[in-house]
């Protein structure tokens, strides 16, 4: 088996990026350390990957992190988790430049400015930007969405995940369920919508009979939607399924203001496993979609391409976990 740059890094007790810089004469590091790394590589019989060498020419050490939108980000939590995930892997080796696709002027992407680009795509309109990145031959990873394109994808099955949350409510005897959804034009919303409907059908229930309220993934929209639910008159729901945790916390406050309790009167579920979900005064039952891990894996895939010349256009699916806490009442008891 051929010796890899990672084998050399382990033998030298340094990171593979340090080995890469030493072998390619990049930077102004310690010359003694560089010579030691070169000697170890020669002794191990390391043969450089020519594709990797070609990729290292004229490096900018900039990685572009493009979100579908910055100005109308669905939740600050998503932005924070993705940024921390990328920085955790890219470290000090690369500069991370954050931009919004909706603010990009078509045709203006400069290939010399980016070594690679991570795209967090949520809209069909993003395809034009993805095509421009591809046409300009910039290494790219697409995260949080499955796109049938010549580039690696790292995402989760959000339909299955939302189905798990609805299944939990049904298994606990809930039939009068309302749903607070997110931005209708986002792929995540469409997938989660499909997921809870499939779960209803699987249990012999009619999804068209479920009242659906529109939110935008922000706290205020969850609060307002819950108020509409509680003020509509007639029999109240026994449960509200929210498309993210931020809206669930907004819904919780509306429920409390109406003199009701969670889960005593109304059960509540969220999605994302937001920071506050586990240790706030409401321990929310939710689905964990670990945005940080998605970002980390996407960054690892991109760095393998940039630093080692490994081209892998596979689709990687990370698991979503149902986190059961204290906000779903069992009506079967």
């Amino acid at each position: 088996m051929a010796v890899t740059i990672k084998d050399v890094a382990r033998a030298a007790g340094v990171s593979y990026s340090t080995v890469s810089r030493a072998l390619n004469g990049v930077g102004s590091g310690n010359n003694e350390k560089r010579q030691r790394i070169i000697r170890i590589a020669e002794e191990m019989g390391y043969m450089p990957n020519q594709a990797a060498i070609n990729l290292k020419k004229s490096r900018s050490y900039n990685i572009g992190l493009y979100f579908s939108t910055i100005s109308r980000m669905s939740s600050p939590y998503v932005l924070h988790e993705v940024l921390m995930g990328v920085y955790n892997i890219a470290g000090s080796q690369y500069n991370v430049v954050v931009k919004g696709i909706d603010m990009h002027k078509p045709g203006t992407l400069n290939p010399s400015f980016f070594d690679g680009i991570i795209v967090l795509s949520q809209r069909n309109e993003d395809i034009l930007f993805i095509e421009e990145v591809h046409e300009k031959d910039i290494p790219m990873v697409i995260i949080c969405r499955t796109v049938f394109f010549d580039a690696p994808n790292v995402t989760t099955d959000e339909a299955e995940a939302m189905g798990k949350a609805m299944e939990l409510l049904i298994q606990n005897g809930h039939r009068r369920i309302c749903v607070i959804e997110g931005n209708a034009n986002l792929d995540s919303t469409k997938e989660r919508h499909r997921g809870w409907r499939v779960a209803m059908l699987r249990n012999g229930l009619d999804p068209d009979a479920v009242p659906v309220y529109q939110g935008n993934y922000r706290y205020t929209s969850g609060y307002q939607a819950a108020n509409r639910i509680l003020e509509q008159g007639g029999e109240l729901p026994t449960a509200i399924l929210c498309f993210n945790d931020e809206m669930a916390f907004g819904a919780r406050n509306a429920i409390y203001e109406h003199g009701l309790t969670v889960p005593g009167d109304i059960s509540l579920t969220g999605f994302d496993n937001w920071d506050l979900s586990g240790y706030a005064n409401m321990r929310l039952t939710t689905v964990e979609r670990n945005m940080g891990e998605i970002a980390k894996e996407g960054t690892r895939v991109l760095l393998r391409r940039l630093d080692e010349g490994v081209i892998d256009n596979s689709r990687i699916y990370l698991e979503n976990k149902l986190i059961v806490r204290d906000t779903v009442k069992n009506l079967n008891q």
Side-chain angles (χ1 to χ4, degrees), residues 12-300:
V14 298
S15 68
Y16 72 81
S17 60
T18 299
V19 174
S20 175
R21 286 170 178 261
L23 297 180
N24 290 283
V26 177
S28 56
N30 184 294
N31 187 59
E32 184 177 338
K33 178 189 284 188
R34 176 175 292 167
Q35 293 305 317
R36 174 177 169 270
I37 292 171
I38 292 172
R39 185 179 67 256
I40 290 172
E42 290 174 346
E43 290 172 353
M44 294 179 69
Y46 170 71
M47 296 294 292
N49 183 318
Q50 190 60 45
I53 292 174
N54 292 338
L55 284 166
K56 292 180 186 299
K57 293 180 179 179
S58 303
R59 296 288 293 271
S60 68
Y61 288 94
N62 290 329
I63 289 178
L65 176 57
Y66 276 83
F67 291 83
S68 289
T69 174
I70 296 294
S71 58
R72 295 186 297 278
M73 174 62 61
S74 61
S75 170
Y77 164 81
V78 172
L79 176 62
H80 175 264
E81 289 297 299
V82 171
L83 277 173
M84 293 306 296
V86 173
Y87 281 128
N88 184 275
I89 301 302
S92 59
Q93 182 183 359
Y94 290 91
N95 302 307
V96 180
V97 182
V98 181
K99 290 179 173 287
I101 296 174
D102 59 342
M103 301 173 71
H104 173 71
K105 185 178 179 180
T108 62
L109 200 58
N110 185 349
S112 66
F113 188 71
F114 294 114
D115 287 347
I117 289 178
I118 299 170
V119 181
L120 194 161
S121 175
Q122 287 285 287
R123 310 171 308 160
N124 289 334
E125 297 94 315
D126 297 342
I127 293 298
L128 294 176
F129 175 78
I130 291 170
E131 287 177 347
E132 182 177 347
V133 177
H134 180 69
E135 287 168 2
K136 293 186 175 178
D137 201 27
I138 304 172
M140 168 176 53
V141 173
I142 301 164
I143 65 173
C144 297
R145 181 183 180 198
T146 301
V147 179
F148 295 96
F149 209 82
D150 190 21
N153 288 187
V154 181
T155 188
T156 64
D157 190 335
E158 296 185 58
E160 180 192 34
M162 187 54 80
K164 290 179 182 179
M166 180 59 86
E167 286 273 3
L168 179 70
L169 294 177
I170 295 170
Q171 289 167 4
N172 280 274
H174 293 276
R175 296 297 181 269
R176 298 196 311 275
I177 302 169
C178 289
V179 178
I180 301 177
E181 299 198 340
N183 308 60
N185 65 324
L186 297 182
D187 274 16
S188 285
T189 303
K190 296 171 185 175
E191 286 299 298
R192 296 177 198 187
H193 174 84
R194 181 169 65 86
W196 73 254
R197 288 180 62 88
V198 168
M200 295 284 288
L201 291 169
R202 193 161 50 233
N203 286 273
L205 301 173
D206 180 10
D208 293 329
V210 175
V212 176
Y213 294 78
Q214 194 68 52
N216 62 9
Y217 291 112
R218 305 307 294 270
Y219 174 95
T220 301
S221 71
Y223 175 81
Q224 292 171 341
N227 272 322
R228 292 196 299 273
I229 292 169
L230 298 171
E231 293 167 359
Q232 66 185 347
E235 203 168 22
L236 291 176
T238 63
I240 300 176
L241 182 143
C242 297
F243 269 32
N244 79 338
D245 294 348
E246 190 170 340
M247 291 194 298
F249 274 83
R252 182 277 306 266
N253 276 7
I255 292 168
Y256 284 2
E257 288 177 7
H258 280 75
L260 304 171
T261 63
V262 176
D265 297 298
I266 299 178
S267 292
L268 200 58
T269 66
F271 197 106
D272 280 336
N273 199 24
W274 195 27
D275 252 2
L276 293 175
S277 301
Y279 58 81
N281 59 349
M282 178 179 72
R283 298 186 69 255
L284 181 66
T285 291
T286 186
V287 174
E288 182 178 64
R289 180 183 64 150
N290 197 320
M291 296 298 297
E293 287 303 317
I294 294 172
K296 286 178 184 178
E297 185 60 27
T299 307
R300 290 187 190 104

